[in-house]
Amino acid sequence: MTSTAEERYDQQRAAQWMDGAAVGRGLSRRDLLRTAVAGSAALGLAALPGVRWAARADTPPAGPIRKPLPPDLFTVFGTNAETKWEALRRVGYHVPTDRFYVRNHTSTPLVDRDSWRLRLFGTGLRGAPTRDAPVELNFADLARLPAETYSAFLECAGNGRSFFTTQQGGTVTGTAWKLGAVGVARWRGVRLGTVLRRAGLTRAAVDVLPAGLDPNFVSGGVDLGPVRRPLPVAKALDDVLLAYEMNGAPLLPDHGFPVRLVVPNWIGIASIKWVGEIEVSDQPLFSPWNTQFYRYFGPGFPAGGSPPLTRQVVKSAFELPFPAALPAGRTIRLTGRSWSGNGRIERVRVSTDGGTTWRHPRIRVAGDGRGWTLWELPWRPPGPGDYELLARATDATGRSQPDRTPPNDLGYLFDAVVRHPVTVA
Ligand SMILES: Nc1nc2c(c(=O)[nH]1)N[C@H]1C(S)=C(S)[C@@H](COP(=O)(O)O)O[C@H]1N2
Ligand SMILES: [Mo]
């Protein structure tokens, strides 16, 4: 594992951030953000081949997400769609693609696989190729490289955000997800490390910056450019995939067709969809997605925010509607799942009386460190009335779910035990 390397990276980045050091040494955070904005305009993404905008005037408006979003499977929030947990009750370990959550900053582009190219460039590659003369790879090149398959969860950093408000009485901004911005899929692709080494990765490389081919993200009237987020080389070389299959089929457009990153255990934004280019740099890289977003901001955090968020936290969810209505006078099989960005789940405890007593659920499937653990517990409600179901998991590093998550302004990484309301009638 690379946790030590990651910690060193975080500390180093934190120090650089605090000194205002970055690509051009001595830049302030404000300068950096300006640079990022100007840089993105210069990218001229519309000129890249292989991209057709989902929302061009000559195509019928299709909405930001292309796949069907039936209300029994999804709750839709603008450009995003959350999986309903009750839709996972009768499915196995993997979340079928038809019900896998979608998180789009803008809208799903339709990318043509045959003209798609992955462009690699930057000072961290031999000969320092530039964006204008990059190392290029097409889909057939990628498909010829050794493939690897594994199951891993993807989860949005904002998953569970609404509970900062409804359970803790706070106010946060962003999509009001319940717990459905997560899913485990089986991913097949080529290790990012394989592609980076073939492109001429040097020992001086420190960061890679994959960018998506979706339309630029505009926030508060400012064009922030394509969705892109730096990844330290240590993680890039560890277990990251350039994935082209999800659950045994080519990626759907909504999930990044033809190729996306899968960055196991890290917050979802690391897993850039529709990846079109990757800058490899011998200097630390920054984008709005590791400066303005995806850090902790607010009281108790440094003025420029915490270091960039990386790993996910520990969570648990019941495969029930929220809130749920259950019949009285019967034994109910409660089912649920727990997962963590730190490794496998070691322990799950479930309470059906609001947290007074805790029971041991039966483990249906013990997941590995990239997946989740499925559990079940029979419960005979003592009578009609209102109940709260709680599940608390502990992972292999000993981290457990607290009663309360310290708030942060953007509502990231909610890990507290969720009080799941149930009415028995
Ligand atoms: N290019 C691009 N990649 C992206 C995003 C995006 O909007 N554009 N969203 C990110 C976020 S915030 C998450 S949580 C995951 C969601 O992946 P999914 O839609 O396949 O579930 O994709 C990430 N990759
Ligand atoms: Mo996300």
Side-chain angles (χ1 to χ4, degrees), residues 103 156-157 294:
R103 162 56 172 135
C156 191
Y294 302 105

Side-chain angles (χ1 to χ4, degrees), residues 75 77 81-86 88 101 154-156 158-164 167 175-183 313-320 322 337 339 372 375 389 391 401 413-421:
T75 307
F77 300 98
E82 155 165 28
T83 304
K84 287 193 168 166
W85 267 90
E86 61 268 36
L88 300 185
Y101 85 98
L154 273 191
E155 183 184 19
C156 191
N159 194 27
R161 177 181 285 128
S162 67
F163 299 109
F164 280 111
Q167 189 164 294
T175 303
W177 306 107
K178 289 194 173 78
L179 287 171
V182 64
V313 290
V314 195
K315 284 198 189 68
S316 301
F318 289 91
E319 296 168 355
L320 288 173
F322 198 102
R337 307 182 190 218
W339 64 99
W372 49 20
W375 42 262
L389 305 180
Q401 298 183 248
L413 301 185
F414 185 90
D415 63 348
V417 173
V418 170
R419 308 180 74 89
H420 196 127

Side-chain angles (χ1 to χ4, degrees), residues 93-157:
Y93 187 77
H94 298 108
V95 174
T97 308
D98 71 346
R99 62 199 66 190
F100 203 97
Y101 85 98
V102 179
R103 162 56 172 135
N104 280 349
H105 280 72
T106 59
S107 61
T108 294
L110 294 181
V111 179
D112 170 49
R113 191 168 76 178
D114 295 331
S115 50
W116 175 83
R117 298 287 183 276
L118 181 62
R119 300 175 158 75
L120 299 115
F121 59 90
T123 54
L125 298 178
R126 258 194 315 276
T130 61
R131 176 181 275 121
D132 296 336
V135 176
E136 281 199 354
L137 203 88
N138 64 26
F139 190 83
D141 298 330
L142 191 69
R144 267 194 297 271
L145 293 174
E148 179 164 330
T149 306
Y150 58 64
S151 299
F153 74 80
L154 273 191
E155 183 184 19
C156 191

Side-chain angles (χ1 to χ4, degrees), residues 340-396:
S340 165
N342 306 307
R344 42 183 247 99
I345 295 297
E346 288 283 325
R347 201 171 90 137
V348 185
R349 295 292 179 265
V350 174
S351 175
T352 54
D353 57 9
T356 309
T357 58
W358 293 84
R359 295 164 62 195
H360 296 223
R362 187 182 81 80
I363 302 302
R364 292 153 62 204
V365 183
D368 66 11
R370 295 186 186 121
W372 49 20
T373 287
L374 278 59
W375 42 262
E376 67 180 9
L377 185 81
W379 177 47
R380 193 175 173 89
D386 292 333
Y387 296 86
E388 278 181 337
L389 305 180
L390 284 66
R392 168 179 278 128
T394 306
D395 68 27

Side-chain angles (χ1 to χ4, degrees), residues 101-103 105 156 212 214 227 255 260 268 271 273-274 294:
Y101 85 98
V102 179
R103 162 56 172 135
H105 280 72
C156 191
D214 39 340
V227 177
H255 296 293
R260 77 173 301 162
S271 294
K273 303 193 274 191
W274 315 290
Y294 302 105

Side-chain angles (χ1 to χ4, degrees), residues 175-422:
T175 303
W177 306 107
K178 289 194 173 78
L179 287 171
V182 64
V184 170
R186 193 146 177 81
W187 307 100
R188 178 177 162 84
V190 177
R191 285 211 178 223
L192 177 58
T194 303
V195 170
L196 292 175
R197 289 194 182 94
R198 281 177 176 247
L201 185 72
T202 71
R203 294 173 60 89
V206 296
D207 275 357
V208 305
L209 178 54
L213 294 168
D214 39 340
N216 287 1
F217 181 59
V218 177
S219 172
V222 182
D223 185 342
L224 298 180
V227 177
R228 63 201 188 284
R229 190 187 202 242
L231 189 67
V233 163
K235 179 67 175 174
L237 295 181
D238 182 13
D239 58 356
V240 175
L241 283 189
L242 278 163
Y244 45 74
E245 276 182 22
M246 177 179 183
N247 294 331
L251 294 175
L252 282 191
D254 294 317
H255 296 293
F257 181 88
V259 179
R260 77 173 301 162
L261 253 64
V262 172
V263 181
N265 299 111
W266 283 36
I267 57 176
I269 185 62
S271 294
I272 293 294
K273 303 193 274 191
W274 315 290
V275 59
E277 60 168 49
I278 302 180
E279 178 176 358
V280 184
S281 177
D282 64 3
Q283 299 292 311
L285 295 175
F286 295 88
S287 87
W289 287 268
N290 72 340
T291 56
Q292 265 175 276
F293 314 121
Y294 302 105
R295 292 170 179 256
Y296 289 135
F297 294 99
F301 299 107
S306 70
L309 303 178
T310 56
R311 283 179 181 269
Q312 276 291 359
V313 290
V314 195
K315 284 198 189 68
S316 301
F318 289 91
E319 296 168 355
L320 288 173
F322 198 102
L326 296 173
R330 269 197 239 160
T331 298
I332 294 149
R333 189 172 144 265
L334 296 175
T335 60
R337 307 182 190 218
S338 302
W339 64 99
S340 165
N342 306 307
R344 42 183 247 99
I345 295 297
E346 288 283 325
R347 201 171 90 137
V348 185
R349 295 292 179 265
V350 174
S351 175
T352 54
D353 57 9
T356 309
T357 58
W358 293 84
R359 295 164 62 195
H360 296 223
R362 187 182 81 80
I363 302 302
R364 292 153 62 204
V365 183
D368 66 11
R370 295 186 186 121
W372 49 20
T373 287
L374 278 59
W375 42 262
E376 67 180 9
L377 185 81
W379 177 47
R380 193 175 173 89
D386 292 333
Y387 296 86
E388 278 181 337
L389 305 180
L390 284 66
R392 168 179 278 128
T394 306
D395 68 27
T397 67
R399 251 160 287 197
S400 191
Q401 298 183 248
D403 292 327
R404 182 174 175 279
T405 304
N408 64 91
D409 288 352
L410 300 183
Y412 295 131
L413 301 185
F414 185 90
D415 63 348
V417 173
V418 170
R419 308 180 74 89
H420 196 127
V422 175

